[in-house]
Amino acid sequence: MAGQPLNQPAEIPAELDRWNWGAFFLNWIWGIGNSTFIALLALIPVVNIVMIIVLGARGSRWAWQNRAWRDAEQFRKTQRNWAIAGLVIWVVSIGGCAAMVGGIPFVLKGSDAYHMTMDKLRADDRVKAALGDDLTESFWVGGHLNVNANGAGDAQFSIPVHGAKGKGTAFSTAVRTAGTWSLRLLVVRVEGADAPIVLINEDHVAIPNAAIGI
């Protein structure tokens, strides 16, 4: 019959009715490319969580029905290409996000404010007595760093530290003026100790008994 898709009947062959990774990974993009416009529901918040699962489960069936395919082999190759493209995009995206998150500690640790903080910690006799002379920081460091072109800036760090005698967390606040950093607050909370070690408190802020949140 003129105009009838070559993949008639519309019922998908059993060997092709399988999970569709292209529809799962690329959802609405895959939907446009496969004339399956119900996939646009994946653009709706909350609904998209359910929709990507539905697309993975029923995507092959919908694509077979909604587009004209020369034969089963063309369908299979096309959906395989969608799946590969989706996987590549997801891997690159996840890898990029992981690199950004993993790079944060390197950025924080590379700052003068961070080095100033660690130097003060390692030189303090009270910190040595509580944690040991071999003070070491963990890889993951929390906080933020802001440096402006005009020489101003600020930084806050939450640094897990440990030594031969114990471990704890150092909290510091630093301010940058005319290109020079100065520590305003430096406190160490040692695990098992009731009171924190206050090294610097230039602004005389109250030091709570509970863990300090930065």
Side-chain angles (χ1 to χ4, degrees):
M1 180 181 298
Q4 187 179 44
L6 298 181
N7 52 292
Q8 289 294 320
E11 187 65 30
I12 187 172
E15 68 272 15
L16 300 180
D17 191 11
R18 59 182 62 183
W19 183 269
N20 193 307
W21 286 108
F24 177 80
F25 285 130
L26 297 176
N27 44 82
W28 66 270
I29 299 174
W30 172 93
I32 293 174
N34 287 272
S35 300
T36 305
F37 300 110
I38 193 175
L40 295 176
L41 291 174
L43 293 172
I44 302 175
V46 180
V47 175
N48 56 1
I49 298 174
V50 176
M51 197 60 203
I52 60 175
I53 303 297
V54 174
L55 285 169
R58 298 185 62 86
S60 293
R61 190 175 308 173
W62 286 338
W64 178 263
Q65 295 170 351
N66 294 334
R67 276 191 57 186
W69 304 96
R70 183 175 60 252
D71 51 32
E73 186 58 26
Q74 183 202 18
F75 177 87
R76 186 181 292 109
K77 287 182 178 179
T78 300
Q79 297 309 314
R80 183 186 303 122
N81 289 338
W82 276 104
I84 293 172
L87 179 61
V88 169
I89 290 173
W90 270 70
V91 169
V92 171
S93 299
I94 293 173
C97 291
M100 289 178 60
V101 173
I104 291 174
F106 290 106
V107 173
L108 296 179
K109 290 182 176 182
S111 68
D112 291 338
Y114 183 87
H115 290 302
M116 183 182 297
T117 296
M118 292 306 301
D119 288 344
K120 290 285 186 182
L121 289 174
R122 292 190 173 105
D124 190 88
D125 291 335
R126 292 168 297 170
V127 175
K128 292 179 182 179
L131 300 179
D133 293 333
D134 56 337
L135 187 69
T136 304
E137 72 266 46
S138 298
F139 172 77
W140 291 106
V141 176
H144 77 264
L145 175 68
N146 177 41
V147 179
N148 300 321
N150 61 4
D154 65 274
Q156 290 183 317
F157 303 113
S158 172
I159 310 170
V161 292
H162 60 275
K165 296 181 179 180
K167 57 183 179 179
T169 304
F171 302 94
S172 71
T173 299
V175 175
R176 188 173 187 253
T177 305
T180 301
W181 285 101
S182 62
L183 285 172
R184 308 301 300 176
L185 176 68
L186 180 55
V187 177
V188 180
R189 281 207 159 272
V190 179
E191 288 191 7
D194 294 330
I197 301 173
V198 181
L199 286 75
I200 299 172
N201 188 2
E202 295 291 341
D203 299 317
H204 306 290
V205 298
I207 306 298
N209 290 327
I212 303 171
I214 292 182

